[in-house]
Amino acid sequence: MLQGQKRWLYIAVPIFFFWFFGQIDKVGISIIQTDPDFLNTFGITGEDKNTKIGLLSFVFTIAYGVSNLFWGFIIDKFGARKTAIAGLSIWTLTMFSSGLTTSYEIFLVSRIILGFGEGMMIPVSGKFISSWFNNREIGRAQASGLTGNYLGPAIGAFALTLIISSLHWQSAFFILAALNLFINIPMFIFLTRNKPEEHPRVSKEELAFIRHLDDDEKEGITSENKSFAQDYRFWIVWFGMLVCSFLFFGISIWLPTYLMEAKGFEQKGMSSITSLSWLFALGFVLSCGFLADKTRRPGLMASILFLMTTIFLTVAVFIPNPIIAGICMGLAMGCQGGVFHLSNMLMVKYSTPETAGRAAGLMGFTNIMGGFSSYIMGWLRDISNGDFSTSIAMLIFASILGLGAYVFTVKKEAAELHSAPLPTQNRHA
């Protein structure tokens, strides 16, 4: 069954688990921060409680975004495989140490180090996919690999809630560290190589397919060192990712707290809607990966997703029914999961295998806005006596900005499709 398809086993599978466990590590704090014992241990109480909660995600995301620039250059120099192993080692040690500390200040430092270690996730994934997959299957490769990005938290919301209620919040950190140590690191050591040419189990036929370019794709590459920085569309996508990160982290980090404190859900109901929201995101990722490859209109699709986000957030503000409001927040988060996937796909499109690490590093830097979003939402809640309305209004304004950015890509995208129409026959590996 895997004849000519080894790339899906050796690259897509490790990237799936890479994001599956990595995203639980990243957003698991949104579940853990609802535990009263966790809050009391670190003194997260009083009038500035929500600001302190927001600061936990703020410092992590700032480190995560800034380190993307660093990791992008490291990947282009040393390769994605060594970089992934190094980053995984850093965040495994950090997760273990996070479960040992009882100081808020030290915990903040651990979040910074964790953000630095996980900052290589987007560049590593972009580099592997750019090197291992044919241009016509990038959308499916991204969707296959990043399925773990959303399935992980969907399952993790239930798992972490169960672990915290049955054991202790510290156990959640220890278990997550062990999963990285015994699953993620060995997979990158034994399965992956930087390029398919370096892998002894990749056939000549599969390699020829990976490296094949259609005539229209050859015309689009003017030189081996094509500069993505000179393509204005890359910067539109980059701005769109700034907005996407602001929205996605703002919603995902605060969603469990929103459901419990603003809508009156118990822990079981909170974990159910939180998991459903991540499944929404997974659904958008899978459908966007398929449709982007079929229609070759990712810019138009991203515009539609930003419009839908605006609508869902607006409904969440005005609808009195708590279940519908929670689901609308989850659908808005899901839409941004789709934008995230499309943006990474476009990043690969506008770069080459030689520059994919740097391009992905710049794209990953946009996650810095997620830190500002989580912190500002906490601050707005404190000055609004715990009300979420002002915070959500801010998110609605941000989604309108994202829509405005992507609209500028639609006309050029349509012209490209007209000059290079979709093939009439299916291609096979």
Side-chain angles (χ1 to χ4, degrees):
M1 291 177 62
L2 289 174
Q3 185 65 32
Q5 304 286 337
K6 296 293 181 63
R7 59 196 179 278
W8 297 101
L9 172 63
Y10 296 136
I11 299 301
V13 171
I15 289 179
F16 169 82
F17 285 103
F18 188 47
W19 284 89
F20 183 90
F21 295 121
Q23 195 70 356
I24 297 177
D25 291 352
K26 188 187 304 178
V27 303
I29 191 67
S30 67
I31 300 294
I32 296 171
Q33 71 190 25
T34 64
D35 179 53
D37 186 49
F38 171 81
L39 298 177
N40 291 329
T41 297
F42 293 106
I44 305 177
T45 55
E47 296 181 354
D48 62 346
K49 167 188 172 182
N50 294 295
T51 303
K52 286 182 176 179
I53 292 175
L55 189 59
L56 295 176
S57 297
F58 175 75
V59 297
F60 166 85
T61 315
I62 296 298
Y64 182 86
V66 172
S67 68
N68 268 265
L69 300 175
F70 165 80
W71 287 117
F73 285 97
I74 294 297
I75 288 168
D76 284 337
K77 186 172 182 179
F78 295 103
R81 182 169 175 260
K82 289 182 179 178
T83 304
I85 295 170
L88 282 165
S89 300
I90 291 172
W91 99 46
T92 299
L93 291 172
T94 306
M95 292 300 291
F96 182 77
S97 65
S98 296
L100 295 176
T101 183
T102 57
S103 165
Y104 179 78
E105 290 74 19
I106 295 177
F107 190 78
L108 278 178
V109 173
S110 73
R111 298 299 294 176
I112 294 172
I113 299 173
L114 179 64
F116 175 79
E118 292 194 8
M120 50 77 198
M121 293 179 71
I122 294 176
V124 161
S125 300
K127 188 73 169 182
F128 270 128
I129 290 172
S130 179
S131 298
W132 273 81
F133 292 90
N134 182 273
N135 284 351
R136 295 288 186 175
E137 59 183 5
I138 285 174
R140 278 167 289 167
Q142 289 276 12
S144 176
L146 296 183
T147 296
N149 188 43
Y150 306 102
L151 187 59
I155 297 174
F158 278 115
L160 289 174
T161 300
L162 180 62
I163 290 170
I164 292 171
S165 61
S166 302
L167 300 172
H168 195 267
W169 64 264
Q170 294 170 315
S171 302
F173 287 105
F174 297 147
I175 291 172
L176 290 173
L179 291 172
N180 280 315
L181 179 62
F182 295 111
I183 297 178
N184 269 341
I185 293 178
M187 292 191 83
F188 277 95
I189 292 174
F190 297 111
L191 291 183
T192 67
R193 297 293 185 275
N194 290 325
K195 297 179 181 180
E197 290 88 347
E198 300 174 359
H199 207 295
R201 296 184 180 274
V202 174
S203 67
K204 293 180 179 180
E205 292 76 15
E206 183 171 6
L207 180 60
F209 172 76
I210 293 170
R211 297 292 178 240
H212 177 77
L213 292 176
D214 288 339
D215 291 338
D216 60 297
E217 294 170 324
K218 292 176 182 177
E219 292 174 3
I221 301 177
T222 57
S223 72
E224 196 173 65
N225 296 317
K226 178 184 64 173
S227 176
F228 62 85
Q230 296 176 353
D231 193 330
Y232 76 93
R233 292 171 300 173
F234 175 85
W235 295 109
I236 289 177
V237 174
W238 187 82
F239 177 79
M241 268 293 285
L242 280 177
V243 177
C244 177
S245 297
F246 191 86
L247 289 164
F248 188 85
F249 280 97
I251 298 172
S252 63
I253 293 298
W254 282 103
L255 181 60
T257 304
Y258 167 81
L259 293 171
M260 294 183 70
E261 297 187 6
K263 296 303 176 182
F265 285 91
E266 299 293 334
Q267 269 201 336
K268 184 176 180 181
M270 175 274 290
S271 63
S272 297
I273 293 185
T274 299
S275 294
L276 182 63
S277 300
W278 286 101
L279 290 176
F280 286 152
L282 174 60
F284 277 106
V285 166
L286 295 176
S287 59
C288 286
F290 175 79
L291 291 173
D293 281 342
K294 291 295 182 182
T295 66
R296 289 160 59 189
R297 297 299 304 270
L300 176 61
M301 292 171 61
S303 301
I304 294 172
L305 289 173
F306 271 117
L307 177 60
M308 292 171 62
T309 300
T310 304
I311 294 172
F312 286 132
L313 289 174
T314 302
V315 172
V317 171
F318 292 104
I319 198 77
N321 187 293
I323 295 178
I324 296 178
I327 290 175
C328 282
M329 290 292 288
L331 285 168
M333 190 181 91
C335 287
Q336 290 308 300
V339 173
F340 175 81
H341 171 58
L342 292 170
S343 299
N344 280 280
M345 176 182 162
L346 288 167
M347 176 274 299
V348 175
K349 176 182 177 181
Y350 298 144
S351 63
T352 65
E354 291 74 24
T355 61
R358 278 163 283 174
L362 278 170
M363 198 65 70
F365 176 77
T366 61
N367 283 279
I368 197 171
M369 292 303 294
F372 285 102
S373 177
S374 60
Y375 183 76
I376 293 172
M377 287 184 70
W379 175 73
L380 287 174
R381 284 200 69 209
D382 281 336
I383 66 174
S384 303
N385 296 318
D387 186 63
F388 271 96
S389 298
T390 307
S391 299
I392 298 176
M394 175 186 67
L395 297 178
I396 292 173
F397 177 73
S399 64
I400 294 173
L401 290 179
L403 172 61
Y406 263 101
V407 163
F408 287 101
T409 70
V410 174
K411 185 176 180 179
K412 177 71 172 178
E413 188 176 75
E416 286 183 343
L417 184 60
H418 180 73
S419 63
L422 290 168
T424 56
Q425 295 182 341
N426 292 330
R427 293 158 50 98
H428 299 282

Coordinates of all heavy atoms in Angstrom, one line a residue, residues 178-242:
A178 N 6.4 13.2 29.2 CA 6.7 11.8 28.9 C 6.3 11.5 27.5 O 7.0 10.7 26.8 CB 6.0 10.9 29.9
L179 N 5.1 12.0 27.0 CA 4.6 11.7 25.7 C 5.6 12.2 24.6 O 5.9 11.6 23.6 CB 3.3 12.3 25.5 CG 2.1 11.7 26.3 CD1 0.9 12.5 26.2 CD2 1.9 10.2 25.8
N180 N 6.2 13.4 24.9 CA 7.2 13.9 23.9 C 8.4 13.1 23.9 O 9.0 12.8 22.9 CB 7.5 15.4 24.3 CG 6.4 16.4 23.8 OD1 6.0 16.3 22.6 ND2 6.0 17.3 24.6
L181 N 8.9 12.7 25.1 CA 10.1 12.0 25.3 C 10.1 10.6 24.6 O 11.0 10.2 24.0 CB 10.5 11.9 26.8 CG 11.7 11.1 27.1 CD1 13.0 11.8 26.5 CD2 11.9 10.9 28.6
F182 N 8.9 9.9 24.8 CA 8.9 8.5 24.3 C 8.2 8.3 23.0 O 8.2 7.2 22.4 CB 8.2 7.7 25.4 CG 9.0 7.6 26.7 CD1 8.5 8.2 27.8 CD2 10.2 6.9 26.7 CE1 9.2 8.1 29.0 CE2 10.9 6.8 27.9 CZ 10.4 7.5 29.0
I183 N 7.6 9.4 22.4 CA 6.9 9.2 21.1 C 7.5 10.2 20.1 O 8.0 9.7 19.0 CB 5.4 9.4 21.3 CG1 4.8 8.3 22.2 CG2 4.7 9.4 19.9 CD1 3.3 8.5 22.4
N184 N 7.4 11.5 20.4 CA 7.9 12.5 19.4 C 9.3 12.4 19.0 O 9.7 12.3 17.8 CB 7.5 13.9 19.9 CG 6.2 14.3 19.4 OD1 5.6 13.8 18.5 ND2 5.6 15.3 20.1
I185 N 10.2 12.4 20.0 CA 11.6 12.4 19.7 C 12.1 11.2 19.0 O 12.8 11.3 18.0 CB 12.4 12.6 21.0 CG1 12.2 14.0 21.6 CG2 13.9 12.4 20.8 CD1 12.9 14.3 22.9
P186 N 11.7 9.9 19.4 CA 12.1 8.8 18.6 C 11.6 8.8 17.2 O 12.3 8.3 16.3 CB 11.5 7.6 19.4 CG 11.3 8.1 20.8 CD 11.0 9.6 20.6
M187 N 10.4 9.3 16.9 CA 9.9 9.3 15.5 C 10.8 10.2 14.6 O 11.0 9.8 13.5 CB 8.4 9.8 15.5 CG 7.5 8.9 16.2 SD 5.7 9.3 15.9 CE 5.5 8.6 14.3
F188 N 11.2 11.3 15.1 CA 12.0 12.2 14.3 C 13.4 11.6 14.1 O 14.1 11.8 13.1 CB 12.1 13.6 14.9 CG 10.9 14.5 14.5 CD1 9.8 14.6 15.3 CD2 10.9 15.1 13.3 CE1 8.7 15.3 14.9 CE2 9.9 15.9 12.9 CZ 8.8 16.0 13.7
I189 N 13.9 10.9 15.1 CA 15.2 10.2 15.0 C 15.2 9.1 14.0 O 16.1 9.0 13.1 CB 15.7 9.7 16.4 CG1 16.0 10.9 17.4 CG2 17.0 8.8 16.2 CD1 16.3 10.5 18.8
F190 N 14.2 8.2 14.1 CA 14.3 7.0 13.3 C 13.5 7.1 11.9 O 13.8 6.3 11.0 CB 13.7 5.8 14.1 CG 14.5 5.5 15.3 CD1 14.1 5.8 16.6 CD2 15.8 5.0 15.2 CE1 14.8 5.6 17.7 CE2 16.6 4.7 16.3 CZ 16.1 5.0 17.6
L191 N 12.5 8.0 11.8 CA 11.8 8.0 10.6 C 12.2 9.1 9.6 O 12.2 8.8 8.4 CB 10.3 8.2 10.9 CG 9.6 7.0 11.6 CD1 8.1 7.3 11.7 CD2 9.7 5.7 10.7
T192 N 12.5 10.2 10.0 CA 12.7 11.4 9.1 C 14.1 11.5 8.6 O 15.1 11.0 9.2 CB 12.3 12.7 9.8 OG1 13.2 13.0 10.9 CG2 10.9 12.6 10.4
R193 N 14.2 12.2 7.5 CA 15.5 12.7 6.9 C 15.2 14.0 6.4 O 14.0 14.4 6.1 CB 16.1 11.8 5.8 CG 16.4 10.3 6.3 CD 17.6 10.3 7.3 NE 18.0 9.0 7.6 CZ 17.5 8.2 8.5 NH1 16.5 8.7 9.3 NH2 17.9 7.0 8.8
N194 N 16.2 14.9 6.2 CA 16.0 16.2 5.7 C 15.4 16.3 4.3 O 14.5 17.1 4.0 CB 17.2 17.1 5.7 CG 17.7 17.4 7.1 OD1 16.9 17.6 8.0 ND2 19.0 17.4 7.4
K195 N 15.8 15.4 3.4 CA 15.3 15.3 2.1 C 15.0 13.9 1.7 O 15.7 13.0 2.2 CB 16.4 15.9 1.1 CG 16.7 17.4 1.4 CD 17.8 17.9 0.4 CE 18.2 19.3 0.6 NZ 19.2 19.8 -0.3
P196 N 14.1 13.7 0.7 CA 13.8 12.3 0.3 C 15.0 11.7 -0.4 O 15.1 10.4 -0.3 CB 12.7 12.5 -0.7 CG 12.7 13.9 -1.1 CD 13.3 14.7 0.1
E197 N 15.9 12.4 -0.9 CA 17.1 11.9 -1.5 C 18.0 11.2 -0.5 O 18.8 10.3 -0.8 CB 17.9 13.0 -2.3 CG 17.3 13.5 -3.5 CD 16.3 14.7 -3.2 OE1 16.0 14.9 -2.1 OE2 16.0 15.3 -4.2
E198 N 17.9 11.6 0.8 CA 18.7 11.0 1.8 C 18.1 9.8 2.5 O 18.8 9.1 3.3 CB 19.0 12.1 2.9 CG 19.6 13.4 2.4 CD 19.7 14.5 3.5 OE1 19.2 14.2 4.6 OE2 20.2 15.5 3.2
H199 N 16.9 9.5 2.1 CA 16.2 8.4 2.8 C 16.4 7.1 2.0 O 16.1 7.0 0.8 CB 14.7 8.7 3.0 CG 14.1 7.9 4.1 ND1 14.0 6.6 4.2 CD2 13.6 8.4 5.3 CE1 13.4 6.2 5.3 NE2 13.1 7.3 6.0
P200 N 16.9 6.0 2.6 CA 17.2 4.8 1.9 C 16.0 4.1 1.4 O 16.1 3.2 0.5 CB 18.0 4.0 2.9 CG 17.6 4.5 4.2 CD 17.3 5.9 4.0
R201 N 14.8 4.4 1.9 CA 13.6 3.6 1.6 C 12.7 4.3 0.6 O 11.6 3.8 0.2 CB 12.8 3.3 2.8 CG 13.5 2.3 3.8 CD 12.7 2.0 5.0 NE 13.4 1.1 5.9 CZ 13.4 -0.2 5.8 NH1 12.8 -0.8 4.8 NH2 14.1 -1.0 6.7
V202 N 13.1 5.5 0.1 CA 12.3 6.2 -0.9 C 12.8 5.8 -2.3 O 14.0 5.9 -2.6 CB 12.5 7.7 -0.7 CG1 11.8 8.5 -1.9 CG2 11.9 8.2 0.6
S203 N 11.9 5.3 -3.1 CA 12.2 4.8 -4.5 C 12.5 6.0 -5.4 O 12.1 7.1 -5.2 CB 11.1 4.0 -5.0 OG 9.9 4.8 -5.2
K204 N 13.2 5.6 -6.5 CA 13.5 6.6 -7.6 C 12.2 7.1 -8.2 O 12.1 8.3 -8.6 CB 14.4 6.0 -8.6 CG 15.8 5.6 -8.2 CD 16.6 5.0 -9.3 CE 18.0 4.7 -8.8 NZ 18.8 4.1 -9.9
E205 N 11.2 6.3 -8.3 CA 9.9 6.7 -8.9 C 9.2 7.7 -8.0 O 8.7 8.7 -8.5 CB 9.0 5.5 -9.1 CG 9.5 4.5 -10.2 CD 10.6 3.6 -9.7 OE1 10.9 3.6 -8.4 OE2 11.3 3.0 -10.5
E206 N 9.2 7.5 -6.7 CA 8.6 8.4 -5.8 C 9.3 9.7 -5.8 O 8.7 10.8 -5.8 CB 8.5 7.9 -4.4 CG 7.8 8.8 -3.4 CD 7.5 8.1 -2.0 OE1 8.0 7.0 -1.8 OE2 6.9 8.8 -1.2
L207 N 10.7 9.7 -5.8 CA 11.5 10.9 -5.8 C 11.2 11.7 -7.1 O 11.1 12.9 -7.0 CB 12.9 10.5 -5.7 CG 13.9 11.7 -5.8 CD1 13.7 12.6 -4.6 CD2 15.4 11.2 -5.7
A208 N 11.1 11.0 -8.2 CA 10.8 11.7 -9.5 C 9.4 12.4 -9.4 O 9.3 13.5 -9.9 CB 10.8 10.7 -10.6
F209 N 8.4 11.8 -8.8 CA 7.1 12.4 -8.6 C 7.2 13.6 -7.7 O 6.6 14.7 -8.0 CB 6.1 11.4 -8.0 CG 4.8 12.1 -7.7 CD1 3.9 12.4 -8.7 CD2 4.5 12.4 -6.4 CE1 2.7 13.0 -8.3 CE2 3.3 13.0 -6.0 CZ 2.4 13.3 -7.0
I210 N 7.9 13.5 -6.6 CA 8.1 14.7 -5.7 C 8.7 15.9 -6.4 O 8.2 17.0 -6.2 CB 8.9 14.3 -4.5 CG1 8.2 13.2 -3.6 CG2 9.3 15.5 -3.6 CD1 9.0 12.6 -2.5
R211 N 9.7 15.6 -7.2 CA 10.4 16.7 -7.9 C 9.8 17.2 -9.2 O 10.3 18.1 -9.8 CB 11.9 16.3 -8.1 CG 12.6 16.0 -6.8 CD 12.9 17.3 -6.0 NE 13.5 17.0 -4.8 CZ 13.0 17.3 -3.6 NH1 11.8 17.8 -3.5 NH2 13.7 17.0 -2.5
H212 N 8.7 16.5 -9.6 CA 8.1 16.9 -10.9 C 7.4 18.2 -10.8 O 6.7 18.5 -9.9 CB 7.1 15.8 -11.3 CG 6.4 16.1 -12.6 ND1 7.0 16.0 -13.8 CD2 5.1 16.6 -12.8 CE1 6.1 16.4 -14.8 NE2 5.0 16.7 -14.2
L213 N 7.6 19.0 -11.9 CA 6.9 20.3 -12.0 C 6.1 20.3 -13.3 O 6.6 19.9 -14.3 CB 7.9 21.5 -12.0 CG 8.6 21.8 -10.7 CD1 9.6 22.9 -10.9 CD2 7.7 22.1 -9.6
D214 N 4.8 20.8 -13.2 CA 4.1 21.1 -14.4 C 4.6 22.3 -15.2 O 5.4 23.1 -14.6 CB 2.6 21.3 -14.1 CG 1.9 20.0 -13.7 OD1 2.5 18.9 -14.0 OD2 0.9 20.1 -13.0
D215 N 4.3 22.5 -16.4 CA 4.8 23.6 -17.2 C 4.5 24.9 -16.6 O 5.3 25.8 -16.6 CB 4.2 23.5 -18.6 CG 4.7 22.3 -19.4 OD1 5.8 21.8 -19.0 OD2 4.1 21.9 -20.4
D216 N 3.3 25.1 -16.1 CA 2.9 26.4 -15.5 C 3.7 26.6 -14.2 O 4.0 27.8 -13.9 CB 1.4 26.5 -15.2 CG 0.9 25.4 -14.2 OD1 1.0 24.2 -14.6 OD2 0.4 25.8 -13.2
E217 N 4.0 25.6 -13.5 CA 4.8 25.7 -12.3 C 6.3 26.1 -12.6 O 6.9 26.9 -11.9 CB 4.8 24.5 -11.5 CG 3.4 24.1 -10.9 CD 3.4 22.7 -10.3 OE1 4.0 21.8 -10.8 OE2 2.7 22.6 -9.3
K218 N 6.8 25.6 -13.7 CA 8.2 25.9 -14.2 C 8.2 27.4 -14.6 O 9.2 28.0 -14.3 CB 8.6 25.0 -15.3 CG 8.8 23.5 -15.0 CD 9.1 22.7 -16.2 CE 9.2 21.2 -15.9 NZ 9.4 20.4 -17.1
E219 N 7.2 27.9 -15.2 CA 7.2 29.3 -15.6 C 7.2 30.2 -14.5 O 7.6 31.3 -14.5 CB 6.0 29.5 -16.5 CG 6.1 28.8 -17.9 CD 4.8 29.0 -18.7 OE1 3.9 29.7 -18.2 OE2 4.7 28.4 -19.8
G220 N 6.6 29.7 -13.4 CA 6.4 30.6 -12.2 C 7.7 30.7 -11.4 O 7.8 31.5 -10.5
I221 N 8.7 29.8 -11.7 CA 10.0 29.9 -11.0 C 11.0 30.5 -11.8 O 11.5 29.9 -12.8 CB 10.4 28.5 -10.5 CG1 9.4 27.8 -9.7 CG2 11.8 28.5 -9.8 CD1 9.7 26.4 -9.3
T222 N 11.4 31.8 -11.6 CA 12.3 32.5 -12.4 C 13.7 32.2 -12.1 O 14.6 32.4 -12.9 CB 12.0 34.0 -12.2 OG1 12.2 34.4 -10.9 CG2 10.6 34.4 -12.7
S223 N 14.0 31.8 -10.9 CA 15.4 31.4 -10.5 C 15.3 30.5 -9.3 O 14.3 30.5 -8.5 CB 16.2 32.7 -10.2 OG 15.8 33.2 -9.0
E224 N 16.4 29.8 -9.0 CA 16.4 28.9 -7.9 C 16.4 29.7 -6.6 O 16.0 29.2 -5.5 CB 17.7 28.0 -8.0 CG 17.6 26.8 -7.1 CD 18.8 25.9 -7.3 OE1 19.9 26.3 -7.0 OE2 18.6 24.8 -7.7
N225 N 16.8 30.9 -6.6 CA 16.9 31.7 -5.4 C 15.8 32.8 -5.4 O 16.0 33.9 -4.9 CB 18.2 32.4 -5.3 CG 19.4 31.4 -5.1 OD1 19.3 30.5 -4.4 ND2 20.5 31.6 -5.9
K226 N 14.6 32.4 -5.9 CA 13.5 33.3 -5.9 C 13.2 33.9 -4.5 O 13.2 33.2 -3.5 CB 12.2 32.5 -6.4 CG 10.9 33.4 -6.4 CD 9.7 32.5 -6.8 CE 9.5 31.5 -5.7 NZ 8.2 30.7 -6.0
S227 N 13.0 35.2 -4.4 CA 12.9 35.9 -3.2 C 11.4 36.0 -2.8 O 10.7 36.8 -3.5 CB 13.6 37.2 -3.2 OG 13.3 37.9 -2.0
F228 N 10.9 35.4 -1.8 CA 9.5 35.5 -1.4 C 9.3 36.9 -0.9 O 8.2 37.4 -1.0 CB 9.2 34.5 -0.3 CG 10.0 34.6 0.9 CD1 9.6 35.5 1.9 CD2 11.2 33.8 1.1 CE1 10.4 35.6 3.1 CE2 11.9 34.0 2.3 CZ 11.5 34.8 3.3
A229 N 10.3 37.6 -0.4 CA 10.2 38.9 0.2 C 9.8 39.9 -0.9 O 9.3 41.0 -0.5 CB 11.5 39.3 0.9
Q230 N 10.0 39.7 -2.1 CA 9.7 40.6 -3.2 C 8.3 40.4 -3.7 O 7.8 41.1 -4.6 CB 10.7 40.5 -4.3 CG 12.1 40.8 -3.9 CD 13.1 40.6 -5.0 OE1 12.8 40.1 -6.1 NE2 14.3 41.1 -4.8
D231 N 7.6 39.4 -3.2 CA 6.2 39.1 -3.7 C 5.2 39.8 -2.7 O 5.2 39.3 -1.5 CB 6.0 37.6 -3.7 CG 4.7 37.2 -4.5 OD1 3.7 38.0 -4.4 OD2 4.6 36.2 -5.1
Y232 N 4.5 40.8 -3.1 CA 3.6 41.5 -2.2 C 2.6 40.6 -1.6 O 2.1 40.8 -0.5 CB 2.9 42.7 -2.9 CG 1.8 42.3 -3.8 CD1 0.5 42.3 -3.4 CD2 2.0 41.9 -5.1 CE1 -0.6 41.9 -4.2 CE2 1.0 41.5 -6.0 CZ -0.3 41.5 -5.5 OH -1.3 41.2 -6.3
R233 N 2.2 39.5 -2.3 CA 1.2 38.6 -1.8 C 1.7 37.9 -0.5 O 0.9 37.6 0.4 CB 0.8 37.6 -2.8 CG 0.0 38.2 -4.0 CD -0.1 37.2 -5.1 NE 1.2 36.8 -5.6 CZ 1.3 35.8 -6.5 NH1 0.3 35.2 -7.0 NH2 2.5 35.4 -6.9
F234 N 3.0 37.6 -0.4 CA 3.5 37.0 0.8 C 3.2 37.9 2.0 O 2.8 37.4 3.1 CB 5.0 36.8 0.7 CG 5.6 36.2 1.9 CD1 5.6 34.9 2.2 CD2 6.2 37.1 2.9 CE1 6.2 34.4 3.4 CE2 6.8 36.6 4.0 CZ 6.8 35.3 4.3
W235 N 3.4 39.2 1.8 CA 3.2 40.1 2.9 C 1.8 40.3 3.3 O 1.4 40.6 4.4 CB 3.9 41.5 2.6 CG 5.4 41.3 2.5 CD1 6.2 41.3 1.4 CD2 6.3 40.9 3.6 NE1 7.5 41.0 1.7 CE2 7.6 40.8 3.1 CE3 6.1 40.7 5.0 CZ2 8.7 40.5 3.8 CZ3 7.2 40.4 5.8 CH2 8.5 40.3 5.2
I236 N 0.9 40.2 2.3 CA -0.6 40.2 2.6 C -0.9 39.0 3.4 O -1.6 39.0 4.4 CB -1.4 40.2 1.3 CG1 -1.3 41.6 0.6 CG2 -2.9 39.9 1.6 CD1 -2.0 41.7 -0.7
V237 N -0.4 37.8 3.0 CA -0.6 36.6 3.8 C 0.0 36.7 5.2 O -0.6 36.3 6.2 CB 0.0 35.4 3.1 CG1 -0.1 34.1 4.0 CG2 -0.7 35.1 1.8
W238 N 1.2 37.4 5.3 CA 1.8 37.6 6.6 C 1.0 38.4 7.5 O 0.8 38.1 8.7 CB 3.2 38.2 6.3 CG 4.0 38.4 7.6 CD1 4.8 37.4 8.1 CD2 4.2 39.5 8.4 NE1 5.5 37.9 9.2 CE2 5.1 39.2 9.4 CE3 3.6 40.8 8.3 CZ2 5.4 40.1 10.4 CZ3 4.0 41.7 9.3 CH2 4.9 41.4 10.3
F239 N 0.4 39.5 6.9 CA -0.5 40.4 7.7 C -1.8 39.6 8.1 O -2.2 39.7 9.3 CB -0.9 41.6 7.0 CG -1.9 42.5 7.7 CD1 -1.4 43.4 8.7 CD2 -3.2 42.5 7.4 CE1 -2.3 44.2 9.4 CE2 -4.1 43.3 8.1 CZ -3.6 44.1 9.1
G240 N -2.3 38.8 7.2 CA -3.4 38.0 7.5 C -3.2 37.0 8.7 O -4.0 36.8 9.5
M241 N -1.9 36.5 8.7 CA -1.6 35.6 9.8 C -1.4 36.3 11.1 O -1.7 35.8 12.2 CB -0.3 34.9 9.5 CG -0.5 33.5 8.8 SD -1.3 32.3 9.9 CE 0.1 31.9 10.9
L242 N -1.0 37.6 11.1 CA -1.0 38.4 12.3 C -2.4 38.5 12.9 O -2.6 38.3 14.1 CB -0.5 39.8 12.0 CG 1.0 40.1 11.8 CD1 1.2 41.6 11.5 CD2 1.7 39.8 13.1

